[in-house]
Amino acid sequence: METLSELMIKAVFFDIDGTLFDSRKLSETARDNAVRAMIHAGLEGDKGKILASLKGIIQEKGSNYERHFDMLVEKFGMKGRADIVAAGVVAYHDTKISSLEPYSDAIVVLTKLKEKGYVLGVISNGKSVKQWEKLIRLKLGNFFDVVHISESSGKEKPDPKLFIDAMDAAKVAPENSVMVGDKPENDIAGAKAAGMLAVLMDVQGVKDKRGADITIDRLGKLPKVIKRLE
Amino acid sequence: METLSELMIKAVFFDIDGTLFDSRKLSETARDNAVRAMIHAGLEGDKGKILASLKGIIQEKGSNYERHFDMLVEKFGMKGRADIVAAGVVAYHDTKISSLEPYSDAIVVLTKLKEKGYVLGVISNGKSVKQWEKLIRLKLGNFFDVVHISESSGKEKPDPKLFIDAMDAAKVAPENSVMVGDKPENDIAGAKAAGMLAVLMDVQGVKDKRGADITIDRLGKLPKVIKRLE
């Protein structure tokens, strides 16, 4: 019988957004609900145009900016309408909280890997408290032995140092570690530069996989893929 | 038959926090739930001491500060534990949202006053979007004809100019207006200086009522009190 010490892979590290949950769909739903609520509160304009404008503002200012909706309302000629801004903020936040859930197969996969004795970790870019909030709301926080987030670490994907710090904290070597992520540049290129195996979680069919060892289209396939890598 | 134009009082203005909902109880519950969650996540210390420390930090830094829980966790020797901070943030925000509700008699009173033809308004200190968020979550936003918040107005209670601006927006004179609030200095002294009638909503029995015309211990008494003032 095979024991853990003979396995090539000892640790599996995960990205959060887009890997453990469908962040793209969640953001789309949240934006859609926010715009609906703002129109209901009196914002005047074509829904499609308002949505496109909001998407542009979020892309331009980044997701941690605080005044997306103020800018949007101003852009549609209703500057100072705090009631409309607040309607958008409430709908957006409520959606981001109530609709935040792991990919349907995430808990089964993490449970299976944990039972098999793998060290489980998170390597994520973002603000530490915000990323931990997601893990807590996803009810996944307790699965992970190490959680490395760029803000606390001072290094950011694709910097291989972030990956190496996480492996050091987990006391595993790169050749015994797999990174699972959805962003080819950040997750895959970064992990490969750190000497890890890398599994691309690719729902959309990206062209440049940045040297991923294996591509999966859903988390459920991960346990078999790890066996195949070994 | 008496018609509205013959009445002395034409408009009733309300403060939000502590007047339309029990902000003190809500904050206490939120802090309590946050500290429980942080202890559960690994924060070490006496619960009473942690709570007292959190209360002190919030008083010192103000309620709109973003890093109360970071400071608290640092104070108890666990700096950098983003998981504990996030556990506190999640519990705090979830409580502030799920337990936010109007005083049990608020909707009945506002409905009654609206049916009788009074102009209804809000005069509140705070950030515009944050105060509007409360009105929306309290499901009270649609009751009010005018909402005046200090951030948008550039004036702050007890400055009588904030009250006068609100009355101008509502097209009512001070002698036809009542302010209802729970803070003697901000709500009562400010309203009196603006020439309004002032009703102190006083749950705790404050000593210096700052010249309030009438004191009530719950909103349900307001319709009768307004009749008495007329």
Side-chain angles (χ1 to χ4, degrees), chain A residues 82-209:
Chain A
D83 57 330
I84 297 178
V85 174
V89 169
V90 166
Y92 190 83
H93 284 164
D94 286 359
T95 306
K96 282 260 174 165
I97 287 171
S98 65
S99 301
L100 177 62
E101 52 183 22
Y103 273 121
S104 58
D105 41 14
I107 287 175
V108 172
V109 165
L110 292 170
T111 305
K112 203 177 277 182
L113 295 177
K114 203 148 185 78
E115 279 171 3
K116 287 194 174 173
Y118 292 101
V119 170
L120 300 183
V122 161
I123 301 175
S124 166
N125 275 358
K127 294 195 171 189
S128 307
V129 173
K130 213 171 165 181
Q131 294 308 88
W132 258 109
E133 267 193 63
K134 290 176 194 167
L135 291 178
I136 292 169
R137 292 196 183 281
L138 289 165
K139 299 190 170 58
L140 298 180
N142 292 327
F143 279 106
F144 300 105
D145 304 290
V146 294
V147 173
H148 256 59
I149 300 168
S150 63
E151 186 192 36
S152 303
S153 159
K155 294 141 198 165
E156 202 166 60
K157 297 179 196 170
D159 185 347
K161 286 185 204 131
L162 178 66
F163 297 83
I164 288 165
D165 283 356
M167 290 186 283
D168 285 349
K171 299 192 177 75
V172 289
E175 56 270 27
N176 302 121
S177 301
V178 187
M179 176 70 199
V180 184
D182 70 316
K183 288 163 211 79
E185 178 60 31
N186 278 356
D187 297 317
I188 307 304
K192 296 309 295 176
M196 306 167 80
L197 289 162
V199 174
L200 178 65
M201 163 86 171
D202 182 17
V203 184
Q204 296 183 75
V206 295
K207 274 171 196 164
D208 184 357
K209 300 181 194 302

Side-chain angles (χ1 to χ4, degrees), chain A residues 66 70 82-83 85-87 89-90 93-94 97 128-129 132-133 136-137 152, chain B residues 66 70 82-83 85-87 89-90 93-94 97 128-129 132-133 136-137 152:
Chain A
E66 302 269 306
D70 300 78
D83 57 330
V85 174
V89 169
V90 166
H93 284 164
D94 286 359
I97 287 171
S128 307
V129 173
W132 258 109
E133 267 193 63
I136 292 169
R137 292 196 183 281
S152 303
Chain B
E66 302 270 305
D70 300 77
D83 57 331
V85 175
V89 169
V90 166
H93 284 164
D94 286 358
I97 288 171
S128 307
V129 173
W132 258 109
E133 267 192 64
I136 292 169
R137 292 197 184 282
S152 304

Side-chain angles (χ1 to χ4, degrees), chain B residues 23 48 55 57 60 63 85 88 90 115 123 140 142 145 155 179 183 185 190 203 210 216 225:
Chain B
S23 53
K55 211 171 163 179
I57 292 168
E60 184 196 333
S63 64
V85 175
V90 166
E115 279 171 5
I123 302 176
L140 298 180
N142 291 326
D145 305 290
K155 295 140 198 165
M179 176 71 198
K183 287 163 211 80
E185 177 58 30
V203 185
R210 304 306 305 265
I216 54 176
V225 152

